């Protein structure tokens, strides 16, 4: 796997802000596959495909897929056990 | 867009005036969205270079195969308008609490670190380890030279080409270099590392080997293509 393709969760901060309405890079998620808790900023992110793929930094399982079109967004969150969102200030 | 500063042959700083901009924190970025006449949109993230409270500035490196950066670096002029979204990020953000700060930047990864340096108080000790290809590629070189002193220590490494008599490092960042420059982990400095994926991985692994707690190392990776 070409290493330079791998970004981190900071790169989807803007997209997540738009989708969830709150700052998400500091949100804590739990991976459904390995149970590790981490903050979104530290996840592995691949953005060079037609969609965005987010993987667990520990077990590499796919946590989230995001595909955006001109008038809709398709969001697959099935790799998460949970995500803890902070209430807006 | 209200102004521009050429930083290097491939890097330019744009001054922006954004309606409704709520202010930012050091380390945050914003997204720029360009829309073509046919409706095609391209969106990219750029780190904010200015200190909070100063006029908003982003610094952009031209990526030759990019969709957005060639326009922003070569063509955008005063008075041009484009959409920005932000400020973005809460993880790669620094709050100055007086503790020492160790900043590690590769190439344009120095941009959010510069926002931190520019906003730091007069008593906060800062060390910056900054890797560039050549002296010509060093972004903010004059300002860093001017700021460097007892409180702000700047360590350059030039990986591709060094001028005659160069006294700084002359290789890619490695564990040895980090050991020479970083504070002992016992001093519990804040640590921010920004650069390409490979650069950040090497720096973070090296700091962990020096005894830094992995969760204390704040990292931000940017892509080498697609900008």
């Amino acid at each position: 796997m070409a290493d330079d393709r791998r970004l981190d969760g900071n790169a989807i901060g803007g997209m997540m802000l738009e989708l969830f309405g709150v700052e998400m890079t500091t949100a804590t998620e739990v991976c459904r596959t390995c149970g590790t808790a981490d903050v979104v900023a530290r996840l592995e992110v691949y953005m060079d495909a037609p969609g965005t793929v987010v993987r667990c930094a520990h077990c590499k399982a796919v946590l989230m897929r995001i595909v955006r079109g001109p008038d809709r967004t398709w969001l697959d969150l099935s790799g998460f056990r949970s995500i803890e969102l902070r209430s807006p200030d | 867009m209200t102004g521009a500063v050429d930083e290097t042959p491939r890097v330019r700083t744009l001054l922006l005036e954004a309606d409704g901009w709520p202010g930012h924190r050091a380390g945050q970025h914003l997204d720029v969205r360009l829309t073509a006449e046919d409706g095609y949109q391209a969106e990219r993230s750029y780190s904010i270079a200015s200190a909070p409270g100063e006029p908003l500035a982003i610094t952009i490196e031209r990526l030759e195969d990019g969709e957005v950066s060639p326009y922003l670096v070569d063509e955008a002029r005063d008075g041009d308008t484009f959409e920005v979204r932000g400020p973005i990020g809460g993880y790669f953000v620094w709050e100055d609490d007086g503790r020492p700060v160790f900043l590690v930047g590769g190439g344009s990864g120095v941009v959010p670190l510069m926002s931190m340096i520019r906003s730091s108080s007069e008593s906060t000790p800062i060390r910056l380890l900054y890797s560039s290809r050549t002296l010509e590629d060093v972004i903010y070189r004059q300002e860093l030279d001017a700021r460097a002193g007892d409180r702000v220590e700047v360590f350059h490494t030039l990986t591709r080409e060094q001028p005659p008599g160069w006294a700084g490092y002359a290789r890619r960042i490695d564990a040895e270099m980090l050991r020479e420059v970083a504070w002992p982990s016992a001093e519990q400095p804040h640590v921010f590392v920004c650069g390409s994926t490979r650069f950040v991985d090497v720096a973070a692994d090296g700091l962990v080997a020096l005894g830094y707690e992995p969760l204390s190392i704040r990292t931000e990776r940017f892509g080498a293509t697609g900008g």
Side-chain angles (χ1 to χ4, degrees):
Chain A
M1 191 179 291
D3 219 29
D4 283 343
R5 293 174 49 232
R6 172 171 49 83
L7 304 179
D8 58 41
N10 296 294
I12 53 169
M15 203 187 309
M16 299 278 276
L17 177 66
E18 196 169 293
L19 292 172
F20 290 87
V22 290
E23 202 295 297
M24 288 293 288
T25 63
T26 54
T28 300
E29 57 75 36
V30 178
C31 172
R32 178 185 291 275
T33 303
C34 72
T36 303
D38 212 341
V39 296
V40 167
R42 301 173 68 93
L43 300 178
E44 298 189 352
V45 171
Y46 297 85
M47 301 183 79
D48 56 341
T52 297
V53 177
V54 181
R55 290 179 180 270
C56 175
H58 303 270
C59 76
K60 315 298 179 190
V62 173
L63 299 171
M64 173 167 65
R65 292 177 291 167
I66 308 164
V67 179
R68 310 188 85 190
D71 58 355
R72 74 190 75 186
T73 298
W74 183 80
L75 192 58
D76 169 11
L77 299 167
S78 59
F80 292 119
R81 180 177 297 164
S82 63
I83 309 178
E84 182 184 313
L85 285 72
R86 202 175 293 175
S87 304
D89 293 333
Chain B
M1 175 173 163
T2 58
V5 179
D6 290 328
E7 305 283 2
T8 80
R10 299 168 57 230
V11 175
R12 188 157 81 138
T13 293
L14 303 187
L15 298 171
L16 307 177
E17 222 174 76
D19 293 338
W21 183 257
H24 72 280
R25 296 192 285 160
Q28 286 185 307
H29 65 271
L30 56 74
D31 289 347
V32 172
R33 179 186 287 165
L34 301 181
T35 304
E37 281 173 19
D38 65 0
Y40 176 76
Q41 291 190 325
E43 193 175 276
R44 295 292 183 275
S45 298
Y46 297 105
S47 289
I48 300 171
S50 48
E54 291 176 355
L56 182 61
I58 56 176
T59 300
I60 297 136
E61 177 179 16
R62 185 201 316 115
L63 301 178
E64 301 306 338
D65 57 350
E67 286 185 331
V68 176
S69 64
Y71 162 73
L72 294 177
V73 173
D74 298 329
E75 292 175 41
R77 297 167 192 279
D78 290 8
D80 282 3
T81 59
F82 38 81
E83 286 180 273
V84 301
R85 175 176 61 199
I88 295 163
Y91 174 78
F92 199 81
V93 161
W94 174 58
E95 301 293 343
D96 188 349
D97 61 3
R99 263 162 60 195
V101 191
F102 184 41
L103 307 175
V104 186
S108 56
V110 75
V111 176
L113 311 181
M114 196 65 196
S115 175
M116 298 177 189
I117 292 171
R118 286 170 168 164
S119 66
S120 60
S121 82
E122 284 304 311
S123 58
T124 301
I126 294 179
R127 286 183 185 167
L128 168 66
L129 175 58
Y130 179 17
S131 175
S132 308
R133 280 184 249 181
T134 71
L135 192 61
E136 191 182 52
D137 291 313
V138 175
I139 306 168
Y140 315 127
R141 190 167 96 210
Q142 287 186 333
E143 183 177 345
L144 286 172
D145 286 350
R147 288 180 180 272
D150 289 344
R151 183 181 72 84
V152 178
E153 297 174 90
V154 180
F155 303 85
H156 288 282
T157 184
L158 301 179
T159 58
R160 192 167 290 180
E161 185 186 302
Q162 303 82 30
W166 175 248
Y169 291 107
R171 62 183 196 269
R172 283 170 184 265
I173 190 171
D174 56 28
E176 175 73 23
M177 197 184 295
L178 289 163
R179 185 163 67 243
E180 289 173 8
V181 174
W183 275 286
S185 57
E187 294 192 30
Q188 297 191 303
H190 293 283
V191 185
F192 292 88
V193 183
C194 186
S196 69
T197 299
R198 270 171 227 219
F199 178 89
V200 171
D201 287 353
V202 169
D205 290 349
L207 288 166
V208 170
L210 288 178
Y212 280 74
E213 163 62 34
L215 291 177
S216 76
I217 303 167
R218 301 268 159 148
T219 49
E220 182 167 77
R221 297 165 177 84
F222 58 73
T225 57

